[in-house]
Amino acid sequence: AQSVAQPEDQVNVAEGNPLTVKCTYSVSGNPYLFWYVQYPNRGLQFLLKYITGDNLVKGSYGFEAEFNKSQTSFHLKKPSALVSDSALYFCAVRDIWNSGNTPLVFGKGTRLSVIA
Amino acid sequence: DVKVTQSSRYLVKRTGEKVFLECVQDMDHENMFWYRQDPGLGLRLIYFSYDVKMKEKGDIPEGYSVSREKKERFSLILESASTNQTSMYLCATIGGLSTDTQYFGPGTRLTVL
């Protein structure tokens, strides 16, 4: 069975500082990994994904994530946080051996608050 | 760009009412999903559909049903709404050239009184 853990319910960071939102996963095979962001009263927006290749993935709005197979992690990072980055962030996984049709499994979300 | 729309952003219903939540996508995607989102619980899958007239139960199907009569439309039905179904409901699709990324609608916040 697939699962995702986001160990922090809340992350607070000062504007201009680097931010990290943590994610670990569990799959039986190799993973497809995703990050989504949700602004208040909105649906989820796709940020970035890891399928294969370079372990460092770059996505929208200056975000990036690093796939670490040995630690089964896929932490989201940004070198310099903006107040507008404040939102709810979800990590998600699918086992590569499942077809692309199957639903993603999501973590419980991490609320990021960037303080001016 | 993929566009996924949901019929209502906010909905208030009374206990026992039958509720229809509609989701429409414009990209001819085969696969559509309904999730509910609750604080501290993340997203939980209710139902999904691989094709017209096909449906599969997700993790929490109790109290819900779905309908997929046309490829672009996937409806979630609450047969008899209850207060514990107060939640944010999110529709998503996968298909076409991007067969790994789910695209989400804006969500419907349902309140059952």
Side-chain angles (χ1 to χ4, degrees):
Chain A
Q2 307 158 88
S3 66
V4 173
Q6 293 181 241
E8 302 154 317
D9 292 334
Q10 173 94 30
V11 170
N12 298 318
V13 63
E15 187 175 31
N17 283 3
L19 69 87
T20 298
V21 183
K22 295 180 181 177
C23 171
T24 58
Y25 66 90
S26 174
V27 297
S28 54
N30 290 319
Y32 286 175
L33 292 157
F34 302 79
W35 276 102
Y36 286 82
V37 60
Q38 185 182 36
Y39 298 101
N41 296 312
R42 305 294 295 275
L44 273 67
Q45 295 179 30
F46 169 74
L47 268 182
L48 52 79
K49 64 184 176 185
Y50 171 82
I51 303 300
T52 187
D54 194 346
N55 289 344
L56 184 64
V57 179
K58 294 188 183 296
S60 306
Y61 313 121
F63 283 93
E64 58 189 29
E66 186 164 13
F67 171 60
N68 187 317
K69 188 171 183 177
S70 63
Q71 297 186 3
T72 63
S73 68
F74 190 56
H75 301 330
L76 182 69
K77 299 181 180 185
K78 188 173 182 181
S80 178
L82 300 172
V83 172
S84 57
D85 293 329
S86 299
L88 189 56
Y89 290 81
F90 289 95
C91 183
V93 70
R94 177 189 297 121
D95 191 320
I96 197 171
W97 295 113
N98 289 325
S99 74
N101 298 334
T102 56
L104 296 175
V105 173
F106 286 84
K108 294 185 178 181
T110 299
R111 186 165 299 282
L112 173 67
S113 181
V114 181
I115 304 157
Chain B
D1 278 354
V2 176
K3 189 167 184 182
V4 183
T5 58
Q6 294 182 231
S7 51
S8 304
R9 293 298 305 278
Y10 301 94
L11 208 53
V12 180
K13 295 292 182 180
R14 297 208 173 271
T15 301
E17 281 192 77
K18 191 169 185 176
V19 181
F20 292 86
L21 302 182
E22 302 281 335
C23 176
V24 178
Q25 49 101 355
D26 67 351
M27 288 300 292
D28 202 35
H29 284 180
E30 295 82 11
N31 310 292
M32 299 185 74
F33 310 87
W34 275 107
Y35 293 87
R36 65 176 282 177
Q37 181 185 5
D38 300 288
L41 298 177
L43 274 70
R44 294 181 291 168
L45 183 66
I46 306 171
Y47 267 98
F48 58 107
S49 169
Y50 290 138
D51 204 346
V52 175
K53 297 192 184 296
M54 295 184 69
K55 59 184 179 184
E56 297 281 344
K57 291 181 179 180
D59 300 319
I60 53 164
E62 297 79 18
Y64 303 95
S65 62
V66 290
S67 173
R68 186 125 182 244
E69 296 296 319
K70 294 184 178 181
K71 193 173 187 179
E72 68 270 18
R73 188 180 297 269
F74 190 36
S75 303
L76 180 69
I77 303 158
L78 286 65
E79 296 290 343
S80 177
S82 63
T83 55
N84 63 12
Q85 292 178 310
T86 291
S87 187
M88 170 72 106
Y89 290 87
L90 294 166
C91 176
T93 75
I94 289 178
L97 295 177
S98 180
T99 56
D100 50 48
T101 303
Q102 281 186 206
Y103 294 94
F104 283 83
T108 296
R109 186 166 292 282
L110 173 66
T111 302
V112 183
L113 302 175

